Amino acid sequence: MTDAIDLDLHALVFDVFGTVVDWRSGVIRDVTEFARKHALKDIDPAAFADTWRGHYSPSMEEVRSGRRPFTRLDVLHRESLEKTLTTFGVPIASLPEQALTELNLTWHRLDPWADSVPGLSRLKSRYIIAPLSNGNIRLMLDMAKRAGLPWDAILGAETAQAYKPAPQAYLRTADILNLSPEQICMVAAHNSDLAAARLCGLRTAFIPRPTEHGDQQTKDLKPEQNWDVIATDMNDLAQQLGCTQN
Amino acid sequence: MTDAIDLDLHALVFDVFGTVVDWRSGVIRDVTEFARKHALKDIDPAAFADTWRGHYSPSMEEVRSGRRPFTRLDVLHRESLEKTLTTFGVPIASLPEQALTELNLTWHRLDPWADSVPGLSRLKSRYIIAPLSNGNIRLMLDMAKRAGLPWDAILGAETAQAYKPAPQAYLRTADILNLSPEQICMVAAHNSDLAAARLCGLRTAFIPRPTEHGDQQTKDLKPEQNWDVIATDMNDLAQQLGCTQN
């Protein structure tokens, strides 16, 4: 039994891919079905998922650098999907457009980690909770509706018109919430996200997700700074922040 | 028992002040307490509420006309509050800043009409539901959290960076939802809001709120066009759109 940590927080904002949902298992599930349906026998779904996700940060870097105007993640995911199919030797023109559109929506259909919904529900009883994800609004909305994620609002890159870890993503979110950065806690399984949030003045909470990248994961297994809260999962975070059991 | 109307809708977006919540009663309630606390004996709370709300559309018109950059409603409400106090002969400098800030938050604490929460909950089971209000995100968030409004996301003027009835408010909301306008239904108690939405291609649903402006209300008592749906309240709307009882 830990005493509640008192940080005078008003809101918690969350990384989502990896922290709230298990993106890799969800993408593997849908790529498996896609490959079966279209008789793509040489595709290893896990390798495909990792390659697709490998384009994630570089695709946003085009926007962060100013080389490209803000473009929502659904569009970047689709471009990355086409690159991935090419890498795996699949001619894009051989596939129906509808099948590509449908596969791209896998990111809207990711399952939460088991502790996410109960933990978020507890946190919601005391704090404003919202995603601060690079996923676009419709993506986050579909995901929340399917999985029962009880967000108070959907914030993030599209609302802020900036991709994390750009400071504007954190600072504009604070401005929209009419809170000062230190009244907000960024929750993430990624040390780099927390480091960027801390530089903007937000409080930070780390939750390790040691299988986000599969059983060979090497990074983000441990907190790399003295984050304000270090929790084992979302329920432990709720407990440490004084949220009673539902 | 009406047959369900089939419009191939994916999302319903809602006017909020007047349509989902009873702004006038809520503002009267808080102005009454404010006047009592600060011994402002000459203030008629209903007249004060109507005067304050009277500044609403003109304040947004400054933004719609391009004379002023987009400014969120909390700021406009505060400016309108000061004008209203002046009209009622109350020197603003005589009041503590904290009291003004607190009174301005009355718009975050409005109660829903009795049918709003059950009706929205039914509609949510089948459609995406979101406010398309001129209220800013934090205002809508606080209101929803307090009243239990089960929005899937908080959309509206701040997200679209445009105030209704400017077409951008409707069209950018459709774009964010990745839907075509005809896949979305605007729900409002105000014929003018529906007229603007219809011009943008959205479907329209009218719900009369005959006491929004008190018992002397003269406008919006009836539908003024052949809106796609005309419902008696939010539960009737859910019924007409094929949403089963909770």
Side-chain angles (χ1 to χ4, degrees):
Chain A
M1 187 74 181
T2 323
D3 282 340
I5 295 170
D6 185 10
L7 296 167
D8 192 26
L9 295 174
H10 290 233
L12 303 177
V13 293
F14 296 78
D15 176 66
V16 173
F17 299 120
T19 302
V20 175
V21 301
D22 175 7
W23 61 266
R24 192 169 183 267
S25 298
V27 175
I28 289 173
R29 174 199 66 208
D30 286 358
V31 168
T32 301
E33 173 61 15
F34 174 83
R36 189 197 60 71
K37 193 168 175 184
H38 298 281
L40 304 170
K41 290 174 186 164
D42 296 337
I43 284 184
D44 169 18
F48 193 97
D50 291 336
T51 301
W52 194 357
R53 179 70 174 183
H55 291 293
Y56 177 68
S57 191
S59 70
M60 292 184 294
E61 189 53 30
E62 289 300 298
V63 174
R64 283 190 291 250
S65 68
R67 286 191 293 273
R68 185 175 186 178
F70 187 82
T71 306
R72 63 178 65 123
L73 192 63
D74 274 339
V75 174
L76 302 180
H77 271 155
R78 171 57 188 260
E79 293 171 0
S80 299
L81 170 58
E82 298 194 9
K83 287 181 190 169
T84 304
L85 286 164
T86 302
T87 300
F88 280 75
V90 181
I92 291 150
S94 71
L95 295 162
E97 170 58 30
Q98 178 58 33
L100 297 175
T101 301
E102 181 58 26
L103 179 57
N104 200 46
L105 291 174
T106 184
W107 300 94
H108 297 220
R109 289 186 298 257
L110 304 174
D111 291 322
W113 302 106
D115 52 282
S116 292
V117 173
L120 288 172
S121 300
R122 287 173 64 181
L123 290 162
K124 185 178 183 172
S125 68
R126 185 159 173 172
Y127 303 102
I128 293 169
I129 60 166
L132 202 179
S133 163
N134 284 332
N136 50 293
I137 293 172
R138 178 65 194 268
L139 189 166
M140 285 291 131
L141 188 165
D142 286 346
M143 178 194 283
K145 208 166 169 75
R146 177 180 176 278
L149 302 172
W151 305 124
D152 286 310
I154 292 181
L155 304 177
E158 189 175 7
T159 312
Q161 294 283 296
Y163 279 118
K164 295 186 298 179
Q168 295 90 333
Y170 307 96
L171 295 174
R172 288 183 192 152
T173 299
D175 185 51
I176 287 165
L177 287 171
N178 198 28
L179 294 172
S180 56
E182 68 271 18
Q183 294 174 306
I184 303 173
C185 182
M186 180 79 214
V187 182
H190 309 128
N191 286 284
S192 59
D193 197 352
L194 298 181
R198 175 172 273 187
L199 284 173
C200 293
L202 281 76
R203 301 290 187 165
T204 51
F206 180 79
I207 296 175
R209 297 298 193 185
T211 62
E212 176 188 353
H213 295 277
D215 53 16
Q216 306 294 310
Q217 182 166 328
T218 55
K219 68 174 189 173
D220 287 321
L221 297 172
K222 291 182 180 175
E224 292 168 9
Q225 291 188 38
N226 60 335
W227 308 123
D228 295 295
V229 187
I230 294 166
T232 55
D233 67 11
M234 214 67 85
N235 280 311
D236 181 40
L237 178 65
Q239 182 75 24
Q240 291 194 48
L241 292 176
C243 302
T244 51
Q245 202 83 36
N246 277 343
Chain B
M1 186 75 180
T2 323
D3 282 342
I5 296 171
D6 186 9
L7 296 167
D8 193 26
L9 295 175
H10 289 233
L12 303 177
V13 294
F14 297 77
D15 176 64
V16 174
F17 299 120
T19 302
V20 176
V21 301
D22 176 6
W23 61 265
R24 192 170 184 268
S25 298
V27 174
I28 290 173
R29 174 198 66 208
D30 286 357
V31 169
T32 302
E33 172 61 15
F34 174 83
R36 189 197 60 72
K37 194 168 173 184
H38 298 282
L40 304 169
K41 289 174 188 166
D42 297 336
I43 286 185
D44 169 19
F48 193 96
D50 291 336
T51 302
W52 195 357
R53 180 69 173 183
H55 290 293
Y56 177 67
S57 191
S59 69
M60 292 184 295
E61 188 55 29
E62 290 299 297
V63 174
R64 284 191 291 251
S65 67
R67 287 190 293 272
R68 186 175 185 178
F70 186 82
T71 305
R72 62 178 67 123
L73 192 63
D74 274 338
V75 174
L76 302 181
H77 270 155
R78 172 57 189 260
E79 294 170 359
S80 299
L81 170 59
E82 298 193 9
K83 287 180 190 170
T84 305
L85 286 163
T86 301
T87 299
F88 279 76
V90 181
I92 291 149
S94 72
L95 295 161
E97 169 57 31
Q98 178 57 33
L100 297 174
T101 303
E102 180 59 24
L103 180 56
N104 201 46
L105 291 174
T106 186
W107 301 94
H108 297 221
R109 288 187 298 256
L110 303 174
D111 291 323
W113 303 106
D115 52 282
S116 292
V117 172
L120 288 172
S121 301
R122 287 173 65 181
L123 290 162
K124 184 177 182 171
S125 68
R126 185 161 173 171
Y127 303 103
I128 293 170
I129 60 166
L132 201 180
S133 165
N134 284 333
N136 50 291
I137 293 173
R138 177 64 194 270
L139 189 167
M140 286 291 132
L141 188 165
D142 285 345
M143 179 195 284
K145 207 167 170 75
R146 176 179 174 280
L149 302 171
W151 305 125
D152 286 311
I154 292 180
L155 304 177
E158 189 175 5
T159 312
Q161 293 284 296
Y163 279 118
K164 295 186 297 180
Q168 295 88 336
Y170 307 95
L171 295 174
R172 288 182 192 154
T173 298
D175 184 51
I176 287 166
L177 287 170
N178 198 29
L179 294 172
S180 58
E182 67 271 17
Q183 293 174 308
I184 304 174
C185 182
M186 181 79 214
V187 182
H190 309 129
N191 286 283
S192 58
D193 197 352
L194 298 182
R198 176 173 272 188
L199 284 173
C200 292
L202 280 76
R203 302 291 189 165
T204 51
F206 180 78
I207 296 176
R209 296 299 192 185
T211 62
E212 176 189 353
H213 294 279
D215 51 17
Q216 306 294 311
Q217 182 165 330
T218 55
K219 66 175 193 174
D220 288 321
L221 296 173
K222 291 181 179 177
E224 292 167 9
Q225 292 189 39
N226 62 335
W227 308 123
D228 295 295
V229 187
I230 294 166
T232 55
D233 68 10
M234 213 66 86
N235 280 311
D236 181 40
L237 179 65
Q239 183 75 22
Q240 291 194 47
L241 292 177
C243 302
T244 51
Q245 201 82 36
N246 276 344

